[in-house]
Amino acid sequence: MMPPPVTIDTAALPADTARRLEELAADFFALPQSLGAPARQADRFQYTIRVVHDNGREHTVTCNEDGAPEDVLEMVRLVQKETH
């Protein structure tokens, strides 16, 4: 079962968290739309992350837990921390 999507507005976050998410999002736009894991493994998470800037620029990346760069995993952790 998939959890519902989570939307985060950086304007509503603590300044340090918002700043870090925005730093991570800068490199996010260079990623391909799909990042696979080196080898498929059972019981691993898959994330679909969509970043939308105020200027309308947006990018979506789907990645497996094992195939995601550390910056993407940090984005996921920050969002999870703010929504739990």
Side-chain angles (χ1 to χ4, degrees):
M1 184 160 61
M2 292 179 48
V6 174
T7 301
I8 296 287
D9 182 351
T10 55
L13 296 175
D16 58 334
T17 302
R19 186 173 35 258
R20 183 61 184 145
L21 279 171
E22 290 168 0
E23 289 169 357
L24 293 167
D27 293 333
F28 182 81
F29 284 83
L31 295 174
Q33 291 182 327
S34 181
L35 296 167
R40 190 168 171 91
Q41 297 178 349
D43 299 325
R44 295 294 181 183
F45 290 106
Q46 183 179 58
Y47 304 106
T48 299
I49 303 161
R50 182 173 169 237
V51 173
V52 180
H53 280 285
D54 289 339
N55 65 7
R57 184 177 180 209
E58 64 180 76
H59 184 56
T60 301
V61 173
T62 299
C63 59
N64 296 322
E65 179 180 28
D66 293 340
E70 183 55 38
D71 285 354
V72 171
L73 294 175
E74 184 178 349
M75 287 176 75
V76 169
R77 287 190 297 268
L78 285 170
V79 169
Q80 288 173 335
K81 178 182 170 190
E82 292 301 323
T83 59
H84 288 110

